[in-house]
Amino acid sequence: GAVVSQHPSRVICKSGTSVKIECRSLDFQATTMFWYRQFPKKSLMLMATSNEGSKATYEQGVEKDKFLINHASLTLSTLTVTSAHPEDSSFYICSARQGTMNTEAFFGQGTRLTVV
Amino acid sequence: QQQVKQSPQSLIVQKGGISIINCAYENTAFDYFPWYQQFPGKGPALLIAIRPDVSEKKEGRFTISFNKSAKQFSLHIMDSQPGDSATYFCAARGSGNTGKLIFGQGTTLQVKP
């Protein structure tokens, strides 16, 4: 089956610093990747959609200068949380899809970000 | 119109019982309805999915029932086991919105031994 790997699984950073989360598709080429944020006991909230080689499309209310998304290759997308603050602490999950919008997207294992 | 409403929020079932989780949607452009299982601290994993041209799909102990006219679909877990204890999310995807998924609110299932 298709495998999507996120790194790191957990990260603690100081307030004001930036942190980068990687999302890799290990055995397929991901033309589209999605980034989600999940608060405790809540559903997944889509933050942005990125297509390889293009600028990400952000959902309404998501600050694109705060959450920088890069999808420079068909196997790697990164989410950088810039100038992180405690309210950015959350569980961030990526998913990756190969091909058209009708194909299945596979999820990474998530990254727990804690900003102290 | 983009919402998917899921119920119940939490569910407790005895081992061997049937767990039933329901979802409703409004957007008739949705054409793919997956269910995901998520364990604490992990990403969601696809459990089973259905398209609106069928009314039921079964995979092992998991069955999706789909009612197109009512715009509702449900997940049935037969012979529920303690290992099924997790959070379950329904979702819907429409062909006209870049294929992004709209998730339900989630149901936390606890199966008691």
Side-chain angles (χ1 to χ4, degrees):
Chain A
V3 179
V4 176
S5 177
Q6 265 183 258
H7 179 80
S9 57
R10 292 176 177 271
V11 58
I12 301 173
C13 71
K14 291 186 177 181
S15 186
T17 62
S18 296
V19 60
K20 181 183 286 187
I21 302 169
E22 293 185 347
C23 178
R24 293 182 184 272
S25 56
L26 298 186
D27 51 3
F28 66 99
Q29 293 185 324
T31 50
T32 305
M33 287 188 173
F34 303 89
W35 286 95
Y36 297 85
R37 182 174 182 176
Q38 187 177 33
F39 291 103
K41 300 188 184 300
K42 296 294 184 183
S43 188
L44 283 76
M45 181 189 78
L46 181 65
M47 299 174 66
T49 302
S50 73
N51 293 298
E52 185 265 338
S54 302
K55 287 185 178 180
T57 301
Y58 290 81
E59 294 298 302
Q60 191 173 6
V62 177
E63 299 176 62
K64 60 181 179 181
D65 295 330
K66 173 76 170 176
F67 300 100
L68 299 179
I69 291 172
N70 183 283
H71 190 170
S73 79
L74 284 171
T75 59
L76 174 64
S77 176
T78 59
L79 167 66
T80 301
V81 183
T82 62
S83 186
H85 291 284
E87 57 265 30
D88 299 324
S89 299
S90 193
F91 193 54
Y92 293 89
I93 308 170
C94 73
S95 71
R97 183 183 71 202
Q98 179 181 30
T100 70
M101 61 183 66
N102 292 321
T103 56
E104 184 59 47
F106 298 92
F107 286 82
Q109 69 269 42
T111 297
R112 171 72 60 195
L113 169 63
T114 303
V115 185
V116 296
Chain B
Q1 279 214 340
Q2 289 294 323
Q3 280 190 329
V4 177
K5 295 182 179 180
Q6 183 173 345
S7 63
Q9 184 176 352
S10 63
L11 182 61
I12 299 175
V13 172
Q14 292 292 327
K15 178 182 175 181
I18 302 174
S19 304
I20 302 175
I21 305 170
N22 301 298
C23 283
Y25 65 98
E26 301 218 348
N27 190 344
T28 55
F30 290 146
D31 64 357
Y32 177 73
F33 302 88
W35 284 90
Y36 292 90
Q37 179 187 57
Q38 185 180 31
F39 292 104
K42 303 293 183 184
L46 177 66
L47 200 57
I48 186 172
I50 198 168
R51 295 191 185 274
D53 52 347
V54 297
S55 59
E56 185 175 281
K57 183 175 182 180
K58 183 176 180 179
E59 289 184 0
R61 296 186 293 112
F62 302 94
T63 300
I64 299 180
S65 296
F66 188 85
N67 186 329
K68 188 174 181 178
S69 60
K71 290 184 282 188
Q72 294 175 348
F73 59 111
S74 60
L75 174 69
H76 295 234
I77 305 174
M78 313 299 285
D79 187 26
S80 299
Q81 299 297 313
D84 296 330
S85 298
T87 301
Y88 293 81
F89 293 96
C90 64
R93 186 183 71 194
S95 58
N97 59 356
T98 71
K100 63 183 180 183
L101 291 167
I102 308 298
F103 282 88
Q105 295 82 0
T107 297
T108 300
L109 170 66
Q110 181 183 358
V111 181
K112 291 193 169 183

